[in-house]
Amino acid sequence: MADYYDLLGVGRDADADTLKRAYRSKARKFHPDINKEPGAEDRFKEIGRAYEVLSDPQTRARYDQFGEAGLGGAAGAPDMGDMGGFADLFETFFQGFGGPGGAAGGRSSRRGPQQGDDLRYDLTIDFEQAVFGQEQEIKIPHLETCDTCGGSGAKAGSGPTTCGTCGGAGQVRRATRTPFGSFTQVAECPNCGGTGQVIADPCNACGGQGVHQVRKKLRINIPAGVDTGTRLRVSGEGNAGPRGGPSGDLYVFLTVKSHPRLRRDGLNILSTVNVSYLQAILGDTIEVETVDGDTPLEIPPGTQPGTVLTLANKGIPKLGNPVARGDQKVQVTVQLPTRLSDPERTLLEELAGHHSARGKQHHHHNSGLFARLFGQK
């Protein structure tokens, strides 16, 4: 399905009046009684669904955070650790077969303040930020308790009144006759939403919702050693709860960008370095890139292609214990020349001849050959 804001033709910062005007205009255009084109009825239904979601601050906030996945009740519950959706489902199912005693009592908690929803924020950081940690500033849209009405949703000097539909019970009962007998089904009151109370004179600032959406700046501390998939919890920065209830939490999910030359393997960092065949044979000290900057690495004489050398304590700090740190593993690649100059070829052929003459001592002469060959480079 298309984005709800695009369906209504409004920006993501549209206020309630803008949404209402856009909805009325689109609904008139695609109403089945007026528009007989194929697909008009489906479009009309989509527009109605979009307005239903965006006109309510709470469902709009969930949609802004998660898209349509956030509107399915329990869709985000496993990640957030919020079991509210499952509890409501469990309660509704069993109350459908219950007697009159426990029905109203099960919903009584909904009249008072409730815990707000948890929120998810996805943050991408650089490789170095993940290694050493950093303080980061983010902006999140979340619901805050309305300052004007204190979360009650009613204008100053007024308050909620008992719902006339359910008599304050928060639920309505409906008898259903089936071939197996009559069953009484208990459902949430459609008039008051299960609270047992309605607001006759709603607060102008929040439209009677008791909360309003605010974009807030936050500074979060990213600890050293995090990796893609690490989840940071920021207490009390989720959505404010209905009727002045406490806020939920904000969960920041991290994604770490890959480094062009360094690769993470647990607490170790893997990299590759290229050396010439002469450096591999004679040995050398070279500069290697690490997260701490360029660091000297000794190439021992006679180093074979594929050898892995270790730079101790140049790896990833352990999350929660940054004193414990991994190593950097450097794999050595030996580059062989594809073209030789005439002097280089002469020296190599002379060296090859000395190696093939078995049983003879050429140590000092060979060393001289290496020095002359190395001087050619």
Side-chain angles (χ1 to χ4, degrees):
M1 182 181 284
D3 180 82
Y4 287 167
Y5 290 96
D6 291 343
L7 280 173
L8 294 177
V10 298
R12 302 191 78 84
D13 56 351
D15 58 20
D17 288 339
T18 303
L19 283 171
K20 186 179 292 186
R21 285 197 301 270
Y23 167 67
R24 287 177 176 172
S25 172
K26 295 282 185 180
R28 281 196 298 267
K29 180 179 178 181
F30 290 99
H31 195 284
D33 292 342
I34 300 173
N35 193 328
K36 301 299 183 181
E37 294 180 10
E41 185 174 354
D42 290 339
R43 189 68 182 273
F44 178 76
K45 291 177 182 177
E46 290 176 356
I47 291 166
R49 171 63 174 163
Y51 181 68
E52 178 187 6
V53 170
L54 299 183
S55 61
D56 184 289
Q58 290 184 325
T59 55
R60 180 177 181 178
R62 287 200 294 271
Y63 180 75
D64 287 344
Q65 287 291 314
F66 307 111
E68 288 184 74
L71 306 177
D79 282 340
M80 297 298 102
D82 179 11
M83 295 300 292
F86 294 117
D88 286 348
L89 183 65
F90 181 86
E91 183 181 85
T92 301
F93 178 79
F94 281 99
Q95 282 179 359
F97 298 96
R107 288 286 182 177
S108 59
S109 62
R110 295 200 51 183
R111 299 187 186 183
Q114 297 174 41
Q115 177 84 24
D117 292 333
D118 293 335
L119 295 180
R120 170 175 176 153
Y121 184 89
D122 292 292
L123 178 63
T124 300
I125 60 175
D126 293 328
F127 190 86
E128 289 80 2
Q129 287 178 294
V131 174
F132 297 113
Q134 191 181 49
E135 196 177 57
Q136 182 100 4
E137 184 178 277
I138 62 174
K139 290 181 179 180
I140 61 160
H142 69 170
L143 297 179
E144 292 187 357
T145 300
C146 177
D147 295 330
T148 304
C149 65
S152 71
K155 275 186 180 178
S158 67
T161 58
T162 300
C163 174
T165 302
C166 64
Q171 294 154 333
V172 291
R173 294 179 179 83
R174 183 175 59 197
T176 305
R177 188 177 298 278
T178 73
F180 304 101
S182 294
F183 290 91
T184 300
Q185 184 179 5
V186 181
E188 182 181 274
C189 176
N191 187 45
C192 65
T195 64
Q197 297 176 324
V198 292
I199 297 170
D201 198 4
C203 168
N204 291 330
C206 64
Q209 297 296 324
V211 291
H212 59 121
Q213 191 166 35
V214 174
R215 183 172 286 273
K216 182 177 181 180
K217 285 184 179 180
L218 287 177
R219 296 195 72 85
I220 60 171
N221 182 45
I222 300 171
V226 297
D227 200 0
T228 294
T230 299
R231 185 179 76 168
L232 307 178
R233 176 175 172 265
V234 186
S235 179
E237 292 297 347
N239 281 338
R243 289 170 290 284
S247 296
D249 298 327
L250 171 69
Y251 288 91
V252 181
F253 284 72
L254 298 178
T255 298
V256 180
K257 293 180 184 176
S258 59
H259 192 281
R261 292 167 297 279
L262 305 178
R263 183 166 61 87
R264 179 171 180 166
D265 180 23
L267 293 183
N268 293 329
I269 291 177
L270 309 181
S271 65
T272 302
V273 66
N274 295 322
V275 299
S276 71
Y277 69 104
L278 295 174
Q279 287 174 303
I281 295 170
L282 298 174
D284 198 4
T285 299
I286 63 173
E287 294 288 315
V288 174
E289 180 181 12
T290 74
V291 290
D292 294 310
D294 290 346
T295 302
L297 174 66
E298 183 181 350
I299 306 295
T303 295
Q304 300 298 309
T307 297
V308 176
L309 303 176
T310 299
L311 286 170
N313 296 317
K314 294 296 181 184
I316 308 291
K318 187 175 182 180
L319 186 61
N321 181 18
V323 177
R325 190 173 175 184
D327 304 323
Q328 181 163 334
K329 304 290 185 179
V330 183
Q331 185 177 42
V332 179
T333 300
V334 179
Q335 291 181 317
L336 299 177
T338 56
R339 300 180 64 181
L340 293 173
S341 66
D342 290 340
E344 286 177 324
R345 179 175 293 278
T346 301
L347 288 170
L348 285 172
E349 287 174 347
E350 186 179 349
L351 179 62
H354 282 283
H355 272 289
S356 63
R358 299 180 181 277
K360 296 181 181 180
Q361 299 295 323
H362 299 289
H363 173 72
H364 296 294
H365 191 54
N366 285 356
S367 297
L369 287 174
F370 273 121
R372 286 159 60 199
L373 187 58
F374 196 77
Q376 296 290 333
K377 300 301 288 179

